[in-house]
Amino acid sequence: MVYTSGALVYGDTGRQPVSETASTDNVHSLVAGREVLEREALAGLRHGIKVSVIRPSWVYGNGGYLLGFLRSARRKGYVDIFGDGKNMWSLVHVADLAELYLKCIETSGGAGIVNASAGQNVSYGEIMSLIASIADVPIRQTEKSDGYYRLGLFADALTINQVISSNYARTKLGWQPRCPDLEKQLRLYQSL
């Protein structure tokens, strides 16, 4: 069994990468309760079920949130950056993530909890600036509170640090992400 969770179970990680052993006591409210579902899935290990819980960081390529931001920028005519934009995000390309799913499925006994981050750490502001450049629209710096008013908990999730380590996936599962270039991926899919 493979259960897809997400890195937001760590909440704001600060700027130091967190591993699978990091606490989920500060789970982000957007995904509150997800750590309970993870524990229920992992309980299957006690019954001989092969279980992997994958915690992807911010996913890009072939759709996902970042493409959604690009579409939104073209539709609205601007890009919002909530807060100062200095918080860091770890990224993973959807094709690399798919390879990690295969590694987890092929692992005898299940992989347990596995973070999915390619090791690319980019600030939220840099990502939104890139999206603004590709969409050829201006950036609108917006107070975090205004973002919360408009997008609720999702806006808050955009403004926290999510720096994720995937050393376990690399060393124990042999996962080697290729990390396709973010800008090239966004330009490739901007017409979608």
Side-chain angles (χ1 to χ4, degrees):
M1 179 176 107
V2 178
Y3 173 70
T4 303
S5 183
L8 283 174
V9 297
Y10 298 117
D12 191 326
T13 64
R15 293 190 174 244
Q16 294 301 312
V18 296
S19 72
E20 292 82 356
T21 60
S23 171
T24 59
D25 289 345
N26 295 317
V27 62
H28 192 277
S29 299
L30 186 64
V31 296
R34 192 173 284 178
E35 73 282 6
V36 173
L37 296 173
E38 288 183 359
R39 283 195 301 274
E40 287 181 13
L42 291 168
L45 291 169
R46 293 192 304 264
H47 303 287
I49 300 170
K50 292 171 39 171
V51 178
S52 300
V53 172
I54 300 177
R55 294 176 173 165
S57 56
W58 289 93
V59 181
Y60 70 99
N62 299 336
Y65 285 120
L66 299 187
L67 182 57
F69 294 146
L70 180 59
R71 287 178 179 156
S72 175
R74 288 195 316 250
R75 188 182 72 253
K76 295 186 311 187
Y78 61 89
V79 168
D80 275 316
I81 295 179
F82 301 115
D84 64 13
K86 294 180 182 176
N87 56 300
M88 301 299 290
W89 288 358
S90 292
L91 304 175
V92 63
H93 188 271
V94 68
D96 290 330
L97 182 57
E99 288 183 20
L100 181 58
Y101 275 84
L102 288 175
K103 295 279 187 192
C104 288
I105 290 167
E106 294 168 349
T107 300
S108 64
I113 297 173
V114 182
N115 286 342
S117 166
Q120 302 164 285
N121 298 315
V122 183
S123 78
Y124 161 61
E126 290 173 311
I127 293 170
M128 294 300 121
S129 295
L130 176 60
I131 288 170
S133 172
I134 292 169
D136 195 26
V137 298
I139 294 171
R140 189 174 82 171
Q141 199 79 26
T142 306
E143 292 294 322
K144 185 176 175 179
S145 58
D146 182 51
Y148 188 82
Y149 174 75
R150 290 181 15 221
L151 298 177
L153 293 173
F154 185 69
D156 184 63
L158 297 175
T159 64
I160 66 171
N161 289 294
Q162 282 275 279
V163 182
I164 310 300
S165 167
S166 288
N167 287 340
Y168 173 77
R170 293 169 189 267
T171 58
K172 299 296 184 190
L173 303 176
W175 183 54
Q176 296 300 320
R178 293 183 309 267
C179 312
D181 182 80
L182 175 62
E183 181 175 359
K184 287 180 183 175
Q185 289 293 299
L186 286 171
R187 290 190 185 281
L188 177 65
Y189 293 107
Q190 71 176 330
S191 62
L192 298 177

